[in-house]
Structures are given as C-alpha cells and as structure tokens.
Amino acid sequence: MMKKIALTLFFCGFTLIVKSQNLTEQVQKPSVEKSIFGIQTGFAGLWVYNEFKLSRQVALRTEFGLEAYDNDDFYPDAGFLLATVISLEPRWYYNLKKRKNKSKRIDNNSGNFFALKTSFHSDDLLIKFGNDSDVKIVNDLSIIPTWGIRRNIGKYFNYETGVGVGYIHYFSENSGFEKDEGEVAINLHLRIGYQF
C-alpha cells in the first residue's frame, strides 16, 4: 500500500514538474501580439492599421490611410494632394527575445523589424488643396524592403520609424500617358500613434 502511495505521489510530482517546465518555456518564448489595431500620424499623413500574428516573430500589417502625394511628374500644376494608400506589409520582429532577456518591453510589438512594405495609391479618393477640381493622380504600386523600430510610450501610445529603398511602378498608361513608368522609391517615416 505504501509503495502505491509513494508511486502515485512520485508520478503526480513528476507530472507537475514537467507541466511547470512547459509553462516556463512558453512564458520565456516571446511573441508578437495576436492582433493589434491603432491609428498613426506623421509628417506625411494619417493611417489606420492592424497587425495580425502569423508566427511568433512575424506579423502581417494592413494599413489604410491618407498621405501626401507628389504629383509633379504627371500633373505639375496639381498642388498639394492627399491620396489614399492601402498597404500590406509582412514584418519580422527579429529582436523580441533579446529585448525580453534585457527586461525591455515587447508588448504591442515593441521591437526592431524588417518588413516588405507594399503600397498602392489610388485616385478613387483624393483630397485636393488647390483651385483645380479636375486634378487626378496616377495610380502606383511600390514594394520597399524596410528596416524599422517600434516603441511604446506608456500603455496606449507608440512611435515608429523606418527607412528603406525599393521600387515604384506608375500605371500612367491607364491615365492617358504614353507608357507606364517606374523608378527607385524611398520609404522614410517617423510616426506617432495610439493603439486601441
């Protein structure tokens, strides 16, 4: 009888130790948030975003916004414009473990990241600041590898900065120009935001 009790206690204790070790390992593995939603503004516009977890270190950021648009190449007299932009951006937060080991915050995806920012500007919704109500823009698609950082300010606020160089393709033929055009594109951003 004593052997059965001792064996039962041994297996229960062993199970608790294994379970405790598994929980400790899960706690130690840092991860991006399952889903975060917020709004950001910067010197060039206003954006609403969502980051959705794909894996422990990868999140898919979707973004909709209004941003300053340079229309001089196609419509030199257009003036200052705010154009709609839709972006899809996989982000790899590569230093979450290192930040957590140094007792730095990783909540709300606070970390350094590499991203592939893919953005589409559209003429569908255009805010014009000028006299010409017939102003149009040429739709474009850009793909820009980007390095950036994201940090929290308190519980709900964050800031983000990033830099990258890539390619932009202008669908100018669809707007009545002779042919489509493409050139080097730069992503340089500094934003402050609020997370809901």
Side-chain angles (χ1 to χ4, degrees), residues 32-182:
V32 296
E33 300 283 346
K34 188 173 183 179
S35 179
I36 58 175
F37 176 76
I39 188 166
Q40 289 181 325
T41 187
F43 61 86
L46 179 70
W47 303 268
V48 175
Y49 69 89
N50 176 261
E51 286 189 27
F52 180 78
K53 178 180 177 178
L54 297 178
S55 72
R56 273 190 325 104
Q57 293 183 308
V58 179
L60 180 63
R61 180 181 176 103
T62 55
E63 186 176 84
F64 177 80
L66 293 170
E67 63 185 25
Y69 187 83
D70 178 15
N71 213 24
D72 289 347
D73 291 344
F74 299 102
Y75 302 103
D77 300 327
F80 179 72
L81 301 173
L82 284 177
T84 56
V85 62
I86 299 169
S87 297
L88 191 64
E89 181 179 354
R91 286 186 173 186
W92 171 43
Y93 288 92
Y94 63 88
N95 73 332
L96 296 179
K97 185 175 182 180
K98 183 177 177 182
R99 286 182 60 79
K100 186 161 185 172
N101 289 343
K102 291 183 175 183
S103 299
K104 294 183 178 180
R105 293 179 65 180
I106 63 167
D107 58 313
N108 301 328
N109 297 350
S110 181
N112 299 5
F113 61 86
F114 287 110
L116 187 61
K117 185 175 179 78
T118 306
S119 301
F120 179 70
H121 286 96
S122 174
D123 190 35
D124 292 337
L125 178 62
L126 186 61
I127 298 175
K128 305 162 191 171
F129 297 91
N131 298 331
D132 191 356
S133 60
D134 295 332
V135 170
K136 295 180 180 180
I137 67 166
V138 172
N139 294 344
D140 67 60
L141 178 70
S142 63
I143 300 174
I144 306 174
T146 299
W147 173 85
I149 64 169
R150 178 186 171 95
R151 298 293 186 267
N152 294 314
I153 307 169
K155 187 174 182 181
Y156 297 105
F157 290 92
N158 59 66
Y159 69 91
E160 186 175 297
T161 185
V163 62
V165 178
Y167 178 78
I168 187 167
H169 181 83
Y170 294 99
F171 298 97
S172 45
E173 194 174 338
N174 294 345
S175 298
F177 291 91
E178 188 176 319
K179 62 179 182 173
D180 288 352
E181 293 185 20

